[in-house]
Amino acid sequence: MLKKKKQYVVAVVGATGAVGNEMIAILEQRNFPAEKLRLFASERSIGKSLDFHGKPISIELLAEDVFEGIDIALFSAGGDRSRQFAPAAAKAGCVVIDNSSAWRMDPQVPLVVPEVNPMDIMSHKGIIANPNCSTIQMVVVLKPIHDAATIKRVVVTTFQSVSGTGKKAMDELMQQTTDLLNFKKSNPVVYPHQIAFNCLPHIDQFLDGGYTKEEIKMVNETKKILGDDSVKVTATTVRVPVFRSHAEAINIETEKKLSADDARAVLSAAPGIIVFDAPEKNIYPLPTLSDGKDEVYVGRVRNDDTIENGLNLWIAADNLRKGAALNAVQIAETLIKQSK
Ligand SMILES: NC(=O)c1ccc[n+]([C@@H]2O[C@H](COP(=O)([O-])OP(=O)(O)OC[C@H]3O[C@@H](n4cnc5c(N)ncnc54)[C@H](OP(=O)(O)O)[C@@H]3O)[C@@H](O)[C@H]2O)c1
């Protein structure tokens, strides 16, 4: 349990990665009450430093015995590191907020989006899981609709940026685009196919039944966060040649009728959402719009007249911020508010 203090010793594990970098920036931007920030990564990063509030902080090597005296650790160094080091951190009295998928579906570990299920944080036993990026932005929007009209079924197709795979994938998109525009051949390394000027219906591994792990994460995590197993979700996840921000086309079937106008009103009043919906003026969410922003943008809200109570909408959010680092920092802020 976190003891209430004026300031906390905070760690970022995976500090040199795409999400880790964003975590440091967000802790700084939100003036997080950090008495001290410690940064951890692999031996590849030893000797490097990163700035926090204008001062350089040396990268330390991640090990099981480093967590003594750390109050909160934000983990974003991949599932293997989370599985190995998060229990040691929790044992040392540190609260881990983990970005990987390692602990998300563990019944002992709360899976939290602060706009949706902040009270679940209180049941933590040392580890709190941050959901998958595509799930986070979807549930922020589903929650107010579920409260207003009870969602029966969701059909979602995602358009996910390469930053969701990390720094190497961002470099690959940049390199392939440059190579192809210069009539050079470019070999895919991070993805199984060329990502520049392409769309890959393949995120994470394929599982039995033909779905990918990313698609199944969206199904299972949505139910856990909403605390409602009856919500049916089916997903198709697609990687697109965008650097940052994921977009999603979502079809929702509800028990009670909620018109597009009612849905816009409900969404406008909900936390963490900006309704950006005036298609006659070409106003609708775009990855370039949500890039660097904190909110989930919602637009193209329409009645789906092919079913009795149906809605279609289109959303965009920054996967590195709300989809990862910001959500983790918001969990830490909520944890502090709830601490005694
Ligand atoms: N990108 C997203 O939108 C997103 C969203 C939600 C969750 N996540 C999750 O967040 C995690 C990191 O993602 P990312 O996109 O930031 O990846 P990334 O850019 O590849 O960064 C990986 C980070 O992990 C560190 N690391 C790797 N192996 C390590 C080891 N053996 N010991 C210590 N540190 C090690 C790296 O340190 P070095 O620089 O020293 O190698 C680097 O800081 C993943 O679990 C991912 O699933 C990512």
Side-chain angles (χ1 to χ4, degrees):
M1 287 297 136
L2 188 77
K3 281 215 184 95
K4 190 128 201 135
K5 296 194 213 169
K6 272 202 175 135
Q7 290 195 306
Y8 300 84
V9 179
V10 180
V12 174
V13 175
T16 50
V19 176
N21 266 283
E22 204 61 36
M23 282 172 167
I24 299 167
I26 290 174
L27 289 168
E28 191 173 308
Q29 284 158 13
R30 293 170 77 92
N31 219 2
F32 192 87
E35 171 196 333
K36 187 174 180 190
L37 181 67
R38 292 181 63 187
L39 304 178
F40 296 96
S42 77
E43 63 280 352
R44 289 179 289 273
S45 301
I46 301 310
K48 292 186 195 162
S49 64
L50 290 166
D51 281 2
F52 183 59
H53 288 300
K55 290 192 186 129
I57 300 180
S58 300
I59 307 290
E60 299 176 64
L61 183 64
L62 181 62
E64 283 181 15
D65 59 359
V66 298
F67 294 99
E68 210 59 54
I70 296 174
D71 299 305
I72 301 169
L74 308 177
F75 269 59
S76 71
D80 290 346
R81 262 67 60 197
S82 296
R83 266 182 289 274
Q84 185 181 350
F85 297 100
K91 210 170 162 203
C94 164
V95 182
V96 172
I97 300 169
D98 183 39
N99 257 274
S100 79
S101 58
W103 302 98
R104 286 181 192 150
M105 295 313 295
D106 186 319
Q108 300 290 313
V109 174
L111 180 67
V112 178
V113 177
E115 290 88 343
V116 181
N117 58 339
M119 298 318 283
D120 287 358
I121 291 175
M122 296 178 99
S123 67
H124 83 82
K125 295 178 178 58
I127 305 176
I128 302 165
N130 205 49
N132 176 260
C133 44
S134 43
T135 309
I136 293 178
Q137 66 182 69
M138 181 169 79
V139 294
V140 167
V141 169
L142 294 185
K143 169 70 175 165
I145 294 176
H146 195 45
D147 287 347
T150 310
I151 295 174
K152 284 165 68 178
R153 180 170 185 252
V154 176
V155 183
V156 57
T157 304
T158 68
F159 303 73
Q160 295 181 229
S161 68
V162 295
S163 56
T165 317
K167 265 189 169 162
K168 281 186 191 145
M170 295 167 85
D171 294 342
E172 179 148 314
L173 174 58
M174 179 74 86
Q175 189 61 50
Q176 280 183 3
T177 308
T178 314
D179 286 347
L180 290 163
L181 289 174
N182 285 289
F183 307 102
K184 281 193 208 157
K185 217 177 157 264
S186 197
N187 292 322
V189 177
V190 176
Y191 298 114
H193 300 281
Q194 174 190 314
I195 182 64
F197 311 104
N198 214 355
C199 297
L200 313 181
H202 177 183
I203 299 187
D204 212 330
Q205 293 160 252
F206 281 102
L207 303 172
D208 292 347
Y211 286 89
T212 64
K213 247 188 176 177
E214 183 84 354
E215 288 159 353
I216 300 304
K217 280 179 203 167
M218 290 191 80
V219 174
N220 295 336
E221 293 181 21
T222 300
K223 291 170 193 268
K224 182 167 174 178
I225 300 160
L226 291 176
D228 189 344
D229 269 349
S230 73
V231 177
K232 291 180 185 157
V233 181
T234 185
T236 304
T237 56
V238 182
R239 188 73 67 193
V240 295
V242 167
F243 281 99
R244 210 169 144 144
S245 267
H246 295 346
E248 297 178 7
I250 309 177
N251 177 265
I252 302 168
E253 184 177 2
T254 52
E255 236 166 71
K256 286 184 249 158
K257 180 78 193 163
L258 193 70
S259 70
D261 284 341
D262 292 342
R264 268 187 289 269
V266 159
L267 292 165
S268 299
I273 292 175
I274 293 182
V275 174
F276 202 71
D277 197 15
E280 65 289 355
K281 294 185 210 147
N282 299 334
I283 287 177
Y284 32 72
L286 297 168
T288 47
L289 170 79
S290 52
D291 184 334
K293 309 275 178 22
D294 289 351
E295 294 83 5
V296 179
Y297 285 76
V298 188
R300 302 289 324 277
V301 182
R302 290 152 287 155
N303 296 312
D304 172 6
D305 296 327
T306 65
I307 47 177
E308 205 176 329
N309 300 326
L311 284 170
N312 277 308
L313 39 90
W314 169 258
I315 66 173
D318 188 324
N319 57 296
L320 293 180
R321 288 183 77 87
K322 187 58 194 163
L326 172 68
N327 198 70
V329 174
Q330 287 173 319
I331 292 175
E333 290 170 346
T334 313
L335 176 74
I336 289 173
K337 269 192 214 137
Q338 292 173 357
S339 66
K340 289 184 189 133

